[in-house]
Each structure stands twice: as C-alpha cells, then as structure tokens.
Amino acid sequence: MNQNHTRQLLGSLLFGALVLGACGSDDDTSSSDTGVTDITSAPDTTDATDPIATTATTEAGSDSADAGGTVTVYTGRHYGIEPVFEQFTADTGIEVRFTTGNDPELRERLIAEGVNTPADVVMTADAANIELSADAGILASVDSDILTETIPEELRSENNDWFSLSQRARVIISSTERVENPPTTYAGVGDPEWQGKLCLRPSTHPYTQSLVASLIIAEGEARATEIVQSWVANDPLYINSDTDIYNAVADGECDIAIANTYYLGRLLTENPDFPVGIVWPEQDGRGAHVNVSTAAVTANAPNPEGALALIEWLATDGQQQFADANFEYPADPNVEPNEIVVGFGEFTADLPAVRQLGANQPAAVGVLSATGYE
Ligand SMILES: [Fe+2]
C-alpha cells in the first residue's frame, strides 16, 4: 500500500476508524504462520512472517462510529479484499475494519474471545473451517431472503449460518511442455508413471485436508486411503504455496501437481505463455473438487445488522468484484466469471460435497496421517 493511496482513503472518511490491509498478490498465509495480525497492532509489532501484513490507521470519532457505521471482519480469505471493502464503504457508508489470519487461527480466536469478540463477520478460504466454526457455536444463523435467493443451496449451510461467496476449484495441473497425457482423476495422480514427478501441498494445509475429505465423501475412507497412499508412494515434493507449486511445474521440478485454478489466472496475467495447463478431474463422475470462500455473521457480533449488510452486499452488488479479485468462480451462478477464468473452460464441479467437507475433515486428517503424507 502506498502512502498516496492511504491519504486518498483517509480523505474519503467521514468519521471513525479505518483499517487498511496490505493485501498483495501473495500466496495464502501458510499453515505454519503464527500471526493473527491485529488491526490495532502498531506496524512494528506486525508478524514479519505473515505475508499479509495489516496496517492500522485511525481514528477520528472513536466509538461514535459504532452507531451502525462500522463492521469488523476476521478474514482467512485475503486476496484483493481491501478494494472490495472500500467499494462496500463507498456504496453503503459502512466502514470495515479487518483482521487477517489463517482460518483455524481465527476460529480459535473467536472461540477464545467469546461474548467479548469485536468481530461481526468471519470469512474463510475453506468450507471445512467455516463448518467447524458452526459446530463450535460461534456463528449466527441468519434469515435473509437475499442470501437464500442468491446463493445456491449447496453453497450455504443447512441452517444458514454460513454462505459461500465464491468457488475455488482444486484441480490437476501439468506442464504443457513435458506432459501429453496428464491424469484425469485424483486417483490417477497416484499412477506410478508420476513417480518423482509430483508436487503436492502439505497435509497441514486446509486445501489438502478438504481435498482428501472430498475423496472420502466420494469414494469412502478405505478407497480414499488407497488413493492418498498411492500419491505418497510417488514420493511427492511437498510445497506449501500453490504459486510455488505452479512455478515448480513450469520450471521442471515436477510434471504434475494439484492446485487451485485461480493462481493460474494470476500467473497468466503476468505471462500469457505460462507453460502450465489445467486438467478438470472427475469429469466422467462427480466433478472437480470445489472449495469455497465463505462468510458468516458471528454469534456475538456487536453489529449484526452491519454484518448482514456486508455479506448481502458481497453476494450481490459486490459479487463480481469479490470473485474477480482472485479469479474465482462467483457463488451466484448468474454472475459471469472473469474472462481469463472463462478461458479455463466449462467443467462439472463436485458441489454436493461442499457442505460435507467439515464433517469429514477429522477423517481426512486421519487418512493423511495414516498414509505418511507429509
Ligand atoms: Fe489460495
């Protein structure tokens, strides 16, 4: 974030506190990151290991801004959120404070804060983590015709305590220079043909856990264990960044990998000839594993009305911007994806699994551990 931009934002404020997140195009906060970056932290206390450093900027009217005017968000979904929140403020006059961290950290923080939490909204980059938050009793069920009419039933919880805002497909990727016939199923990634040629994200990352949860849902735990075992038998190179995984495929460290599609959107923006392609898996069956970016009103939200206003806006007026900011697929099927994303082609998505990822996350962790997946 440059200073000029900061000044412009400050100039647009009527009152209250504004918090600016220095979100860049970095990969996700890795699961090994320790920092939940607090919006009220001074810059010198910011965890330098967190790629999403958050900067605090305050503060004109103190608590007077809370008269319906400020929403506080804990978000594990980092990509491009700052301009989206700015647009929400411009449209509604409601300001947004936000704190970034990874999904499990933010969940633990909400549990620890209990009724004293300042958070009105929690956003995640993973379906399992929001369902685990629901199970922990820290989300509020909301009654919103806007959300139930906009977000398909498969992409929100049964009791409407969380809502997907975008879909993120986790697919097979391969070198367009060295691979003629990449696998077309997740099981195919374990074919001995890919021995020593495979890159995977580590077991600690929610993306990996939700992928394996989807295998358990589709194939049963015994078969899912066999599939993951076959991946491990291919002696994968574990890399805890999807961007680095794409670059490893491009550079020849591996020939195939499993990764989210939106990273390719970013890489193609920088280099239209980036030599990695997408394979849509399971197209003769259940469809590609799809995870979601979600949002929920917290059970102890100080400003539940503002929280709901933000989520409804993200699902409607802000839906295109939210999804496009990270080359994701909009949750609202009536909103077109970014043209680069459209260029990835049409595909069948395993949407029915989305709601079940949380319930199967513990079993997925067990499968990963039992198979020696690092
Ligand atoms: Fe990501």
Side-chain angles (χ1 to χ4, degrees):
M1 158 120 4
N2 62 49
Q3 289 300 313
N4 188 41
H5 187 37
T6 303
R7 278 195 296 274
Q8 285 175 355
L9 285 165
L10 287 171
S12 71
L13 282 179
L14 295 175
F15 47 68
L18 170 68
V19 174
L20 305 172
C23 288
S25 57
D26 290 327
D27 196 20
D28 292 315
T29 307
S30 76
S31 55
S32 62
D33 275 341
T34 56
V36 175
T37 307
D38 196 289
I39 51 174
T40 58
S41 298
D44 62 353
T45 63
T46 301
D47 183 349
T49 65
D50 189 332
I52 315 294
T54 306
T55 310
T57 306
T58 54
E59 177 135 316
S62 69
D63 291 343
S64 65
D66 292 341
T70 303
V71 173
T72 299
V73 179
Y74 286 0
T75 180
R77 202 266 199 189
H78 310 133
Y79 312 122
I81 51 172
E82 182 195 332
V84 175
F85 289 156
E86 287 173 23
Q87 189 60 50
F88 170 72
T89 300
D91 283 7
T92 65
I94 302 172
E95 292 165 15
V96 178
R97 298 172 176 237
F98 67 94
T99 295
T100 61
N102 69 37
D103 290 347
E105 286 168 352
L106 294 172
R107 181 174 67 254
E108 291 304 316
R109 180 167 170 168
L110 277 167
I111 292 169
E113 289 172 342
V115 297
N116 297 315
T117 188
D120 301 301
V121 172
V122 59
M123 296 170 65
T124 73
D126 171 63
N129 271 282
I130 198 70
E131 186 62 30
L132 292 171
S133 291
D135 292 347
I138 56 174
L139 306 183
S141 182
V142 300
D143 183 9
S144 166
D145 289 345
I146 290 174
L147 290 176
T148 53
E149 287 168 13
T150 307
I151 308 299
E153 192 172 2
E154 292 163 317
L155 297 179
R156 47 186 164 87
S157 76
E158 272 179 51
N159 46 3
N160 291 319
D161 54 9
W162 59 262
F163 298 85
S164 300
L165 296 174
S166 60
Q167 304 173 48
R168 7 175 76 204
R170 193 156 186 82
V171 302
I172 296 164
I173 65 171
S174 65
S175 165
T176 53
E177 295 171 340
R178 296 183 306 281
V179 178
E180 284 188 13
N181 294 302
T184 58
T185 65
Y186 296 108
V189 171
D191 189 287
E193 176 183 0
W194 308 111
Q195 170 83 39
K197 298 176 179 175
L198 171 63
C199 285
L200 293 174
R201 192 114 182 195
S203 62
T204 49
H205 199 277
Y207 294 171
T208 303
Q209 294 169 4
S210 283
L211 171 62
V212 173
S214 79
L215 294 178
I216 294 170
I217 294 162
E219 315 251 10
E221 189 166 335
R223 176 63 185 141
T225 301
E226 287 178 1
I227 292 169
V228 176
Q229 182 64 60
S230 71
W231 297 350
V232 172
N234 273 342
D235 193 23
L237 178 60
Y238 296 99
I239 300 176
N240 200 17
S241 153
D242 276 22
T243 301
D244 290 347
I245 287 173
Y246 270 95
N247 285 320
V249 174
D251 296 343
E253 289 180 80
C254 36
D255 283 349
I256 68 164
I258 297 176
N260 289 356
T261 59
Y262 54 79
Y263 296 90
L264 184 58
R266 299 183 201 165
L267 291 161
L268 287 172
T269 302
E270 296 163 10
N271 173 13
D273 299 319
F274 191 75
V276 178
I278 283 174
V279 181
W280 294 110
E282 314 292 348
Q283 294 303 288
D284 294 332
R286 65 186 181 271
H289 167 54
V290 167
N291 207 330
V292 285
S293 298
T294 75
V297 180
T298 66
N300 297 302
N303 183 2
E305 295 84 8
L308 185 57
L310 173 60
I311 297 171
E312 288 180 341
W313 183 88
L314 290 167
T316 54
D317 293 355
Q319 173 75 154
Q320 185 93 58
Q321 186 184 4
F322 181 86
D324 286 1
N326 191 37
F327 300 102
E328 293 178 36
Y329 293 87
D332 179 351
N334 296 313
V335 176
E336 274 283 299
N338 174 282
E339 64 177 6
I340 287 180
V341 178
V342 171
F344 295 159
E346 300 213 344
F347 68 103
T348 299
D350 184 13
L351 295 185
V354 170
R355 281 177 163 187
Q356 304 174 59
L357 295 174
N360 286 277
Q361 190 261 10
V365 171
V367 166
L368 288 159
S369 175
T371 54
Y373 186 119
E374 293 176 19

